[in-house]
Short mmCIF file of all heavy atoms in Angstrom, two decimals:
data_model
loop_
_atom_site.label_atom_id
_atom_site.label_comp_id
_atom_site.label_asym_id
_atom_site.label_seq_id
_atom_site.Cartn_x
_atom_site.Cartn_y
_atom_site.Cartn_z
N LEU V 1 -101.80 -14.41 -45.51
CA LEU V 1 -101.96 -13.08 -44.92
C LEU V 1 -103.15 -12.45 -45.49
O LEU V 1 -103.37 -12.48 -46.77
CB LEU V 1 -100.77 -12.32 -45.08
CG LEU V 1 -99.47 -12.68 -44.44
CD1 LEU V 1 -98.29 -11.70 -44.85
CD2 LEU V 1 -99.58 -12.57 -42.91
N ASP V 2 -104.05 -11.80 -44.77
CA ASP V 2 -105.09 -11.03 -45.44
C ASP V 2 -104.59 -9.63 -45.69
O ASP V 2 -103.51 -9.26 -45.34
CB ASP V 2 -106.39 -11.10 -44.58
CG ASP V 2 -106.19 -10.37 -43.25
OD1 ASP V 2 -105.14 -9.54 -42.94
OD2 ASP V 2 -107.08 -10.48 -42.33
N SER V 3 -105.51 -8.79 -46.40
CA SER V 3 -105.01 -7.60 -46.87
C SER V 3 -104.66 -6.62 -45.65
O SER V 3 -103.82 -5.66 -45.83
CB SER V 3 -106.11 -7.00 -47.77
OG SER V 3 -107.34 -6.78 -47.06
N ASP V 4 -105.29 -6.76 -44.57
CA ASP V 4 -104.98 -5.93 -43.41
C ASP V 4 -103.62 -6.25 -42.77
O ASP V 4 -102.90 -5.37 -42.46
CB ASP V 4 -106.08 -5.99 -42.32
CG ASP V 4 -107.39 -5.39 -42.82
OD1 ASP V 4 -107.44 -4.49 -43.53
OD2 ASP V 4 -108.51 -5.95 -42.13
N ASP V 5 -103.32 -7.49 -42.85
CA ASP V 5 -101.99 -7.95 -42.41
C ASP V 5 -100.88 -7.30 -43.21
O ASP V 5 -99.88 -6.75 -42.75
CB ASP V 5 -101.79 -9.43 -42.43
CG ASP V 5 -102.62 -10.17 -41.39
OD1 ASP V 5 -102.96 -9.55 -40.35
OD2 ASP V 5 -103.10 -11.31 -41.67
N VAL V 6 -101.14 -7.35 -44.52
CA VAL V 6 -100.17 -6.82 -45.52
C VAL V 6 -99.96 -5.28 -45.37
O VAL V 6 -98.90 -4.75 -45.34
CB VAL V 6 -100.62 -7.18 -46.90
CG1 VAL V 6 -99.64 -6.39 -48.01
CG2 VAL V 6 -100.56 -8.68 -47.08
N LYS V 7 -100.99 -4.60 -45.06
CA LYS V 7 -101.01 -3.17 -44.84
C LYS V 7 -100.28 -2.88 -43.59
O LYS V 7 -99.46 -1.83 -43.57
CB LYS V 7 -102.54 -2.66 -44.81
CG LYS V 7 -103.20 -2.59 -46.10
CD LYS V 7 -104.58 -2.08 -45.94
CE LYS V 7 -105.31 -2.19 -47.28
NZ LYS V 7 -106.79 -1.94 -47.13
N LEU V 8 -100.49 -3.57 -42.54
CA LEU V 8 -99.81 -3.38 -41.25
C LEU V 8 -98.31 -3.57 -41.48
O LEU V 8 -97.49 -2.85 -40.93
CB LEU V 8 -100.32 -4.32 -40.16
CG LEU V 8 -101.58 -3.80 -39.49
CD1 LEU V 8 -102.17 -4.94 -38.55
CD2 LEU V 8 -101.53 -2.46 -38.85
N ILE V 9 -97.90 -4.64 -42.15
CA ILE V 9 -96.54 -5.01 -42.23
C ILE V 9 -95.98 -3.93 -43.12
O ILE V 9 -94.71 -3.40 -42.88
CB ILE V 9 -96.40 -6.36 -42.85
CG1 ILE V 9 -96.73 -7.42 -41.81
CG2 ILE V 9 -94.93 -6.62 -43.41
CD1 ILE V 9 -96.91 -8.84 -42.36
N ARG V 10 -96.57 -3.50 -44.17
CA ARG V 10 -95.94 -2.47 -45.09
C ARG V 10 -95.86 -1.12 -44.31
O ARG V 10 -94.79 -0.43 -44.36
CB ARG V 10 -96.95 -2.19 -46.32
CG ARG V 10 -96.71 -3.35 -47.29
CD ARG V 10 -97.59 -3.08 -48.58
NE ARG V 10 -97.45 -4.14 -49.44
CZ ARG V 10 -98.23 -4.38 -50.43
NH1 ARG V 10 -99.32 -3.60 -50.68
NH2 ARG V 10 -98.00 -5.37 -51.35
N CYS V 11 -96.84 -0.78 -43.49
CA CYS V 11 -96.73 0.46 -42.69
C CYS V 11 -95.49 0.39 -41.77
O CYS V 11 -94.79 1.33 -41.61
CB CYS V 11 -98.07 0.73 -41.86
SG CYS V 11 -98.00 2.07 -40.81
N ASN V 12 -95.42 -0.82 -41.16
CA ASN V 12 -94.32 -0.92 -40.22
C ASN V 12 -92.92 -0.85 -40.95
O ASN V 12 -92.01 -0.13 -40.47
CB ASN V 12 -94.32 -2.36 -39.46
CG ASN V 12 -93.18 -2.53 -38.68
OD1 ASN V 12 -92.82 -1.83 -37.77
ND2 ASN V 12 -92.41 -3.70 -38.90
N ASN V 13 -92.77 -1.46 -42.18
CA ASN V 13 -91.65 -1.43 -42.95
C ASN V 13 -91.30 0.04 -43.38
O ASN V 13 -90.18 0.49 -43.36
CB ASN V 13 -91.78 -2.29 -44.06
CG ASN V 13 -91.65 -3.70 -43.81
OD1 ASN V 13 -91.39 -4.12 -42.65
ND2 ASN V 13 -92.17 -4.60 -44.69
N CYS V 14 -92.36 0.74 -43.72
CA CYS V 14 -92.18 2.19 -44.16
C CYS V 14 -91.56 2.98 -43.00
O CYS V 14 -90.71 3.86 -43.16
CB CYS V 14 -93.42 2.77 -44.74
SG CYS V 14 -93.80 2.09 -46.43
N LEU V 15 -92.30 2.87 -41.84
CA LEU V 15 -91.75 3.46 -40.68
C LEU V 15 -90.41 3.24 -40.22
O LEU V 15 -89.52 4.07 -39.82
CB LEU V 15 -92.72 3.33 -39.43
CG LEU V 15 -94.14 3.99 -39.61
CD1 LEU V 15 -95.00 3.45 -38.42
CD2 LEU V 15 -93.90 5.45 -39.47
N GLN V 16 -89.98 1.99 -40.32
CA GLN V 16 -88.61 1.54 -40.10
C GLN V 16 -87.64 2.20 -41.04
O GLN V 16 -86.62 2.66 -40.71
CB GLN V 16 -88.43 0.04 -40.23
CG GLN V 16 -89.22 -0.71 -39.11
CD GLN V 16 -88.93 -0.33 -37.66
OE1 GLN V 16 -87.74 -0.25 -37.33
NE2 GLN V 16 -89.94 -0.21 -36.93
N LEU V 17 -88.02 2.20 -42.21
CA LEU V 17 -87.23 2.86 -43.30
C LEU V 17 -87.04 4.36 -43.07
O LEU V 17 -85.97 5.03 -43.16
CB LEU V 17 -87.71 2.61 -44.79
CG LEU V 17 -87.00 3.19 -45.93
CD1 LEU V 17 -85.55 2.63 -46.00
CD2 LEU V 17 -87.71 3.07 -47.17
N LEU V 18 -88.22 5.09 -42.72
CA LEU V 18 -88.11 6.57 -42.41
C LEU V 18 -87.30 6.83 -41.18
O LEU V 18 -86.55 7.62 -41.28
CB LEU V 18 -89.68 6.87 -42.25
CG LEU V 18 -89.73 8.48 -41.63
CD1 LEU V 18 -89.42 9.29 -42.87
CD2 LEU V 18 -91.22 8.70 -41.29
N ALA V 19 -87.39 5.93 -40.26
CA ALA V 19 -86.57 6.10 -39.05
C ALA V 19 -85.00 5.98 -39.39
O ALA V 19 -84.18 6.73 -38.92
CB ALA V 19 -86.88 5.14 -37.94
N CYS V 20 -84.69 5.08 -40.30
CA CYS V 20 -83.39 4.87 -40.69
C CYS V 20 -82.86 6.03 -41.52
O CYS V 20 -81.77 6.52 -41.19
CB CYS V 20 -83.25 3.51 -41.59
SG CYS V 20 -81.57 3.14 -42.05
N VAL V 21 -83.66 6.46 -42.51
CA VAL V 21 -83.25 7.63 -43.25
C VAL V 21 -83.14 8.95 -42.37
O VAL V 21 -82.18 9.60 -42.61
CB VAL V 21 -84.35 7.88 -44.41
CG1 VAL V 21 -84.05 9.15 -45.11
CG2 VAL V 21 -84.14 6.67 -45.42
N ALA V 22 -84.03 9.06 -41.49
CA ALA V 22 -83.97 10.27 -40.68
C ALA V 22 -82.78 10.23 -39.71
O ALA V 22 -82.10 11.24 -39.58
CB ALA V 22 -85.24 10.33 -39.76
N SER V 23 -82.35 9.00 -39.22
CA SER V 23 -81.21 8.96 -38.36
C SER V 23 -80.03 9.22 -39.27
O SER V 23 -79.07 9.90 -38.69
CB SER V 23 -81.11 7.56 -37.74
OG SER V 23 -82.14 7.34 -36.84
N CYS V 24 -79.83 8.65 -40.45
CA CYS V 24 -78.69 8.90 -41.37
C CYS V 24 -78.71 10.43 -41.61
O CYS V 24 -77.56 10.99 -41.57
CB CYS V 24 -78.74 8.12 -42.56
SG CYS V 24 -78.61 6.33 -42.25
N LEU V 25 -79.75 11.03 -41.92
CA LEU V 25 -79.75 12.46 -42.27
C LEU V 25 -79.24 13.31 -41.07
O LEU V 25 -78.64 14.29 -41.18
CB LEU V 25 -81.07 12.89 -42.78
CG LEU V 25 -81.44 12.50 -44.21
CD1 LEU V 25 -82.83 13.02 -44.51
CD2 LEU V 25 -80.41 13.05 -45.16
N ASN V 26 -79.72 12.87 -39.93
CA ASN V 26 -79.36 13.51 -38.66
C ASN V 26 -77.85 13.46 -38.52
O ASN V 26 -77.31 14.47 -37.91
CB ASN V 26 -80.19 12.91 -37.48
CG ASN V 26 -80.03 13.72 -36.25
OD1 ASN V 26 -79.87 14.83 -36.32
ND2 ASN V 26 -79.87 13.14 -34.99
N ILE V 27 -77.23 12.42 -38.85
CA ILE V 27 -75.80 12.31 -38.59
C ILE V 27 -75.10 13.21 -39.69
O ILE V 27 -74.13 13.86 -39.31
CB ILE V 27 -75.34 10.82 -39.00
CG1 ILE V 27 -75.80 10.01 -37.70
CG2 ILE V 27 -73.81 10.75 -38.97
CD1 ILE V 27 -75.71 8.43 -37.94
N CYS V 28 -75.54 13.24 -40.91
CA CYS V 28 -74.94 14.03 -41.98
C CYS V 28 -75.23 15.51 -41.89
O CYS V 28 -74.28 16.31 -42.19
CB CYS V 28 -75.42 13.49 -43.36
SG CYS V 28 -74.82 11.82 -43.59
N ILE V 29 -76.42 15.83 -41.51
CA ILE V 29 -76.84 17.32 -41.55
C ILE V 29 -77.23 17.55 -40.14
O ILE V 29 -78.25 17.04 -39.59
CB ILE V 29 -78.01 17.54 -42.56
CG1 ILE V 29 -77.65 17.02 -43.85
CG2 ILE V 29 -78.45 18.97 -42.47
CD1 ILE V 29 -78.75 17.00 -44.90
N ASP V 30 -76.63 18.65 -39.54
CA ASP V 30 -76.85 18.94 -38.15
C ASP V 30 -77.66 20.26 -38.01
O ASP V 30 -77.15 21.26 -38.36
CB ASP V 30 -75.70 18.85 -37.39
CG ASP V 30 -75.91 19.02 -35.83
OD1 ASP V 30 -76.90 18.55 -35.41
OD2 ASP V 30 -74.94 19.66 -35.15
N PHE V 31 -78.94 20.20 -37.71
CA PHE V 31 -79.82 21.35 -37.38
C PHE V 31 -80.12 21.37 -36.02
O PHE V 31 -80.27 20.38 -35.38
CB PHE V 31 -80.93 21.26 -38.28
CG PHE V 31 -80.81 21.44 -39.71
CD1 PHE V 31 -80.90 20.43 -40.65
CD2 PHE V 31 -80.39 22.60 -40.30
CE1 PHE V 31 -80.79 20.54 -41.96
CE2 PHE V 31 -80.09 22.85 -41.64
CZ PHE V 31 -80.32 21.69 -42.46
N ASP V 32 -80.41 22.58 -35.56
CA ASP V 32 -80.93 22.62 -34.09
C ASP V 32 -82.35 22.05 -33.99
O ASP V 32 -83.22 22.29 -34.81
CB ASP V 32 -80.99 24.09 -33.61
CG ASP V 32 -79.56 24.67 -33.61
OD1 ASP V 32 -78.66 23.92 -33.24
OD2 ASP V 32 -79.50 25.97 -33.72
N GLY V 33 -82.50 21.26 -33.00
CA GLY V 33 -83.79 20.61 -32.68
C GLY V 33 -84.19 19.36 -33.49
O GLY V 33 -85.20 18.76 -33.26
N ASP V 34 -83.25 19.04 -34.45
CA ASP V 34 -83.72 17.83 -35.28
C ASP V 34 -83.48 16.60 -34.41
O ASP V 34 -84.06 15.55 -34.90
CB ASP V 34 -82.85 17.81 -36.57
CG ASP V 34 -81.30 17.73 -36.23
OD1 ASP V 34 -80.79 17.91 -35.16
OD2 ASP V 34 -80.66 17.50 -37.30
N ASP V 35 -82.71 16.60 -33.37
CA ASP V 35 -82.59 15.47 -32.62
C ASP V 35 -83.94 14.87 -31.92
O ASP V 35 -84.31 13.72 -31.92
CB ASP V 35 -81.54 15.54 -31.48
CG ASP V 35 -80.15 15.66 -31.94
OD1 ASP V 35 -79.85 15.16 -33.14
OD2 ASP V 35 -79.27 16.13 -31.15
N ALA V 36 -84.77 15.86 -31.62
CA ALA V 36 -86.04 15.51 -30.97
C ALA V 36 -86.95 14.91 -32.05
O ALA V 36 -87.71 13.95 -31.76
CB ALA V 36 -86.63 16.73 -30.43
N ILE V 37 -86.97 15.52 -33.14
CA ILE V 37 -87.75 14.99 -34.27
C ILE V 37 -87.39 13.52 -34.74
O ILE V 37 -88.16 12.70 -34.81
CB ILE V 37 -87.66 15.87 -35.50
CG1 ILE V 37 -88.30 17.18 -35.23
CG2 ILE V 37 -88.40 15.32 -36.70
CD1 ILE V 37 -88.13 18.33 -36.22
N VAL V 38 -86.08 13.36 -34.80
CA VAL V 38 -85.60 12.02 -35.15
C VAL V 38 -85.94 11.04 -33.99
O VAL V 38 -86.40 9.81 -34.28
CB VAL V 38 -84.03 11.97 -35.50
CG1 VAL V 38 -83.50 10.63 -35.52
CG2 VAL V 38 -83.70 12.84 -36.73
N GLY V 39 -85.73 11.49 -32.70
CA GLY V 39 -86.14 10.57 -31.71
C GLY V 39 -87.55 10.22 -31.68
O GLY V 39 -87.89 9.08 -31.38
#
């Protein structure tokens, strides 16, 4: 893999992790309008 490939894969992995954490927080903490942000 070249360095750009590694950066893209890392970016994707970070976004997947962020989406997972946001979804879990959305389940645990319920605020108005947070469903749209998590979506």
